[in-house]
Amino acid sequence: MTRKQEIIDTAKTLFRERGYKSVSMRDLAKVIDFKAASLYNHISSKEEILAEIVLDVARYFTHEMNIIKSLNVDAKTQLEGVIKHHVDLTINNPEAIAILNNDWMHLEGKHLEDFKMMRDTYENDLRSIITQGIEHKEIAFQNIDIILFSLLSTLRTLHLWYRKRSDLSENDLKKDITDILLKGILVKS
Amino acid sequence: MTRKQEIIDTAKTLFRERGYKSVSMRDLAKVIDFKAASLYNHISSKEEILAEIVLDVARYFTHEMNIIKSLNVDAKTQLEGVIKHHVDLTINNPEAIAILNNDWMHLEGKHLEDFKMMRDTYENDLRSIITQGIEHKEIAFQNIDIILFSLLSTLRTLHLWYRKRSDLSENDLKKDITDILLKGILVKS
DNA sequence: GTCTATACCCTGATAGAC
DNA sequence: GTCTATCAGGGTATAGAC
């Protein structure tokens, strides 16, 4: 692991616990037994650390969504795929998801622009899947935005709950979350 | 409106937009055409402003939950009541809900303790309602914590979505949210 | 690549004149 | 009750020795 990666990993933990704005470069340096000035040999600014954390996850979500879109399967299967990769990421990188949720607003300039673009594209792609599901009568409930909102609310805050209930196996979690999110949406078959 | 209330109302807007830690007392003072020092004639610290905002909402939720518990109605009706007062508060005080979600961790001492106590009590009350619903066969899905999590995730982040879709009437929002949250949980009748 | 020293600015908060 | 002046501390970041 490079020094830069060590800095980012440490920042992930601290940013999640206390929030980006509440963690100083001195705090960060202390954890890895450095002086704050030394951090700047590996990163160019505090905001760069935030951007690496947040944009990395955002790119991952974008990538996964593109795979799902390319599969040419029905809406239900696509939604299952979306839920699956949210759960995967929640388990493998909960800090990054928490930071993305809470501190994306502290990105600056092009980082902020890129983030918003990826987020909006992701939401639009998901909306398209839902619309398709309604057209093909796979989805019963008619209000597209409410479905979109309800799905994303649950998936984006999953990390808060997995923390308390990490005794749940990955597979059980996937099954239960998929059940509760889709059974209310899908036409009973 | 007292001066103190004016300060708190202004803080609500700023804290929501930029986060508690990113808003300085000078920022706050500037908006209401004050010098920062003058704020301290009305409030004793920055954290007191946060506490007033957050604990106010927390007390409101606690109060509403106590009313619902006292009603002696079935679980479905109780859940509808919970959803209703979340929607009410989202429409009437979205800033406070956003700040509660994002910045409660910056409360200190007794304020922090009180907040956590009220939050935990609320979650336990809601869990009891769900448990009761399962026992009385009103609720089909069996995993109590997943139901609790899914409900609260959606209700707590409703403010993010109402902002974008404030064209929705209050009643339509209540109906649609109640539908999507309960139809997946309740036994088809 | 890490350190010490430090620049420069912003922070919450207080003292005391008016 | 508002102001000016100020304090003590902490923020990000850089310069330059080693």
Side-chain angles (χ1 to χ4, degrees):
Chain A
M1 186 158 65
T2 66
R3 220 65 312 182
K4 178 169 177 176
Q5 199 53 51
E6 188 185 359
I7 293 170
I8 291 175
D9 284 352
T10 307
K12 270 190 196 171
T13 306
L14 295 185
F15 289 174
R16 181 199 196 172
E17 292 306 325
R18 313 193 329 234
Y20 172 72
K21 281 283 180 182
S22 296
V23 176
S24 73
M25 295 302 272
R26 293 190 237 265
D27 293 335
L28 185 46
K30 193 173 285 176
V31 174
I32 52 182
D33 226 44
F34 257 41
K35 296 298 169 184
S38 306
L39 298 173
Y40 290 88
N41 282 309
H42 306 282
I43 49 98
S44 67
S45 73
K46 187 186 177 190
E47 192 265 351
E48 191 206 325
I49 301 177
L50 179 66
E52 293 248 5
I53 295 170
V54 172
L55 293 183
D56 238 49
V57 198
R59 276 188 289 262
Y60 176 85
F61 274 119
T62 302
H63 177 71
E64 292 295 313
M65 180 60 91
N66 285 335
I67 292 178
I68 288 171
K69 280 164 64 182
S70 73
L71 286 183
N72 232 16
V73 291
D74 62 16
K76 175 170 183 268
T77 309
Q78 288 184 75
L79 288 178
E80 283 168 356
V82 169
I83 294 169
K84 180 183 178 307
H85 77 245
H86 269 274
V87 175
D88 281 340
L89 204 55
T90 295
I91 289 170
N92 296 323
N93 206 350
E95 299 88 358
I97 295 187
I99 296 165
L100 180 148
N101 279 340
N102 298 328
D103 290 316
W104 65 266
M105 62 176 59
H106 299 118
L107 291 170
E108 294 164 20
K110 188 166 182 330
H111 292 151
L112 183 58
E113 268 179 54
D114 287 353
F115 171 78
K116 284 183 179 172
M117 174 70 89
M118 284 191 274
R119 182 196 57 183
D120 291 348
T121 302
Y122 189 87
E123 286 184 15
N124 284 331
D125 285 341
L126 186 50
R127 183 180 284 108
S128 293
I129 295 175
I130 294 167
T131 305
Q132 180 195 320
I134 293 174
E135 281 168 5
H136 294 174
K137 311 234 188 275
E138 294 176 73
I139 293 175
F141 193 74
Q142 292 298 311
N143 190 326
I144 295 171
D145 282 323
I146 296 272
I147 295 173
L148 179 66
F149 144 61
S150 181
L151 270 175
L152 283 179
S153 294
T154 302
L155 294 175
R156 283 177 175 164
T157 55
L158 198 49
H159 67 99
L160 290 171
W161 303 80
Y162 184 64
R163 178 172 235 183
K164 294 191 207 165
R165 288 296 308 272
S166 48
D167 53 318
L168 279 174
S169 82
E170 184 169 335
N171 280 335
D172 284 356
L173 187 62
K174 266 179 205 163
K175 188 184 170 310
D176 283 348
I177 291 286
T178 306
D179 271 5
I180 203 169
L181 288 177
L182 297 189
K183 289 287 168 61
I185 293 176
L186 297 173
V187 178
K188 305 126 199 148
S189 60
Chain B
M1 184 159 65
T2 65
R3 213 89 284 197
K4 179 169 177 176
Q5 199 53 52
E6 188 186 0
I7 292 169
I8 290 175
D9 284 352
T10 308
K12 269 190 197 173
T13 306
L14 294 184
F15 289 174
R16 181 201 196 171
E17 292 305 326
R18 306 182 350 220
Y20 173 72
K21 283 283 180 180
S22 297
V23 176
S24 73
M25 295 301 272
R26 287 169 176 82
D27 293 336
L28 184 46
K30 192 172 287 176
V31 173
I32 53 183
D33 226 45
F34 257 43
K35 296 297 169 185
S38 307
L39 298 173
Y40 290 88
N41 281 310
H42 306 281
I43 48 100
S44 68
S45 70
K46 188 186 176 189
E47 193 266 351
E48 190 207 325
I49 301 176
L50 180 65
E52 292 248 4
I53 295 170
V54 172
L55 293 181
D56 238 49
V57 198
R59 278 188 286 264
Y60 177 84
F61 275 119
T62 301
H63 177 72
E64 292 294 312
M65 180 61 90
N66 285 335
I67 292 177
I68 288 171
K69 279 163 63 182
S70 75
L71 286 183
N72 232 16
V73 291
D74 63 16
K76 175 170 182 265
T77 308
Q78 288 184 75
L79 289 178
E80 283 168 354
V82 169
I83 294 168
K84 180 184 177 308
H85 77 244
H86 270 274
V87 175
D88 280 341
L89 204 54
T90 295
I91 289 169
N92 296 323
N93 206 349
E95 299 88 358
I97 294 187
I99 296 165
L100 181 148
N101 281 340
N102 298 329
D103 290 316
W104 66 266
M105 61 177 60
H106 300 117
L107 291 171
E108 294 164 20
K110 189 166 182 329
H111 292 150
L112 183 58
E113 269 179 53
D114 288 352
F115 171 78
K116 285 182 177 171
M117 173 71 91
M118 285 192 272
R119 182 196 55 183
D120 292 348
T121 302
Y122 189 87
E123 286 184 15
N124 284 331
D125 286 342
L126 187 49
R127 183 180 283 107
S128 293
I129 295 175
I130 294 167
T131 306
Q132 180 194 321
I134 291 175
E135 281 168 6
H136 294 172
K137 311 236 188 274
E138 294 175 74
I139 293 176
F141 192 74
Q142 291 298 310
N143 190 325
I144 296 170
D145 282 322
I146 297 271
I147 295 173
L148 179 65
F149 145 60
S150 181
L151 271 174
L152 283 178
S153 294
T154 302
L155 294 176
R156 284 178 175 164
T157 56
L158 197 49
H159 67 97
L160 290 171
W161 302 81
Y162 184 63
R163 180 173 234 184
K164 295 191 208 167
R165 288 295 308 271
S166 47
D167 52 318
L168 279 174
S169 82
E170 183 168 337
N171 280 335
D172 284 355
L173 187 62
K174 266 180 205 159
K175 186 183 171 312
D176 282 348
I177 291 286
T178 306
D179 270 5
I180 202 168
L181 288 176
L182 298 188
K183 290 285 169 62
I185 292 174
L186 297 172
V187 178
K188 304 125 201 151
S189 60

